[in-house]
Amino acid sequence: MNIQIFGVKKCFDTKKAERYFKERKINYQFVDLTMKGLSKGELQSVKTAVGLKNLINFNAKDYKRLNMDHIISEAGREEMILNNPSLYNTPIVRNGKQATVGYVPSIWESWQE
C-alpha cells in the first residue's frame, strides 16, 4: 500500500485518519494542504475515484468569498480548488488509484487485503 493523506493539521478527521493508519502500523505520507495542494495529476486521480463534488467543502469560508457557488463549469471549479486548497474536504486519503474523502475506515480496511 502507498497511502497518502492530504489534510490540514487542525482538522479533527485528518488527525483521526492519521491515528487509524498509525495504530495499524501502516506507513503513510502526510501532505499538509496549507503548505502544498494537490498537483493537477493527483486531483485528476482523486476526482476519478470520488467525484469533484465530494472534494469541495461547500461550508469553507473561502467558498463564498471566491463566489464558488456561481462557477458552473467543472474546469473552472477544478482551477479554483487547485489554487485554493482551503476549499478541499479533508482528509483526502489516497492509495494508488483508490481514494476517499473524509474519515472512512470501512473502505480503508478493504485496501489492506
Side-chain angles (χ1 to χ4, degrees), residues 42-95:
E42 289 167 334
L43 175 62
Q44 292 307 317
S45 173
V46 172
K47 184 183 86 167
T48 301
V50 300
L52 185 62
K53 264 198 161 132
N54 294 322
L55 284 172
I56 299 173
N57 180 357
F58 297 100
N59 297 319
K61 290 177 188 167
D62 287 344
Y63 185 83
K64 280 272 190 246
R65 185 179 65 78
L66 295 166
N67 293 320
M68 283 288 288
D69 45 348
H70 298 295
I71 298 173
I72 297 166
S73 77
E74 189 165 301
R77 287 176 170 259
E78 279 182 37
E79 194 62 37
M80 289 299 281
I81 63 174
L82 277 171
N83 296 323
N84 300 282
S86 61
L87 294 171
Y88 288 113
N89 267 327
T90 55
I92 299 166
V93 180
R94 195 172 141 207
N95 178 25

Side-chain angles (χ1 to χ4, degrees), residues 19-35:
R19 190 175 328 117
Y20 174 89
F21 290 104
K22 274 182 192 166
E23 287 172 354
R24 286 153 185 80
K25 295 179 178 31
I26 298 170
N27 290 332
Y28 64 89
Q29 174 192 11
F30 177 75
V31 179
D32 190 342
L33 288 172
T34 57
M35 304 292 174

